Amino acid sequence: QTAKFAGIAFWLVLMARAIFPALLAPNGQDKNLLALLTSSVVCIGLFYGTGLFYGERTHISVMEYWRWWVVHLWVEGFFEVFATTALAFIFSTLGLVSYRMATAASLASASLFMLGGVPGTFHHLYFSGTTTPVMAVGASFSALEVVPLVVLGHEAWEHWSLQHKATWMKNLKWPLMCFVAVAFWNMLGAGVFG
């Protein structure tokens, strides 16, 4: 158990070592996107760590409680914010989207999670006898969580389609296609089928 926590702590320190010099640099640039990326990295590590709060002798009800945190609050909530913010940072660094668009998409993703993260899990309460309107609210909030990443992916696709105007984009064809595919499959898997 201690080794698992040490692994998460090591990951957080490694990320902080790379991100904090950029946050503290006095270059006068807007650092909202970088601050969102930093907070999403910390939250994704901490929320995944809740899955380590049980062991082999833990009662099943306690284990299921922490598993619920990892599966539904981490995967459907913080991971969406992290994925959107990380891709927004990469897209804005490559010049595929404007810094303002990347920050807006990241803030929209974080806001949707903060406003609808818990109601977004209501679509999982079918077997506990939850009524259809409550499950519909949960399904709606859950489907909305992917919208910022889809908008960001669409914007990147639009800029990538102009690839023949910049020679450096030909060298990054497959990484960019991978990022656009992430946005598409996230929309299809979580937004349509989720």
Side-chain angles (χ1 to χ4, degrees), residues 31 36 68 73 81 85 89 92 97 102 126 143 154 161-162 171 194:
K31 295 187 171 114
L36 279 167
W68 174 267
L73 294 179
V81 176
T85 307
F89 187 78
S92 68
V97 297
Y126 175 77
H154 177 63
S161 64
L162 302 172
N171 298 332

Side-chain angles (χ1 to χ4, degrees), residues 19 24 51 53 62 72 90 100 110 139 143 150 182 184-185 187:
I19 292 175
L24 300 175
F53 284 164
V62 174
H72 300 293
I90 291 169
R100 184 177 175 150
V150 170
V182 164
F184 171 76
W185 288 111
M187 181 270 308

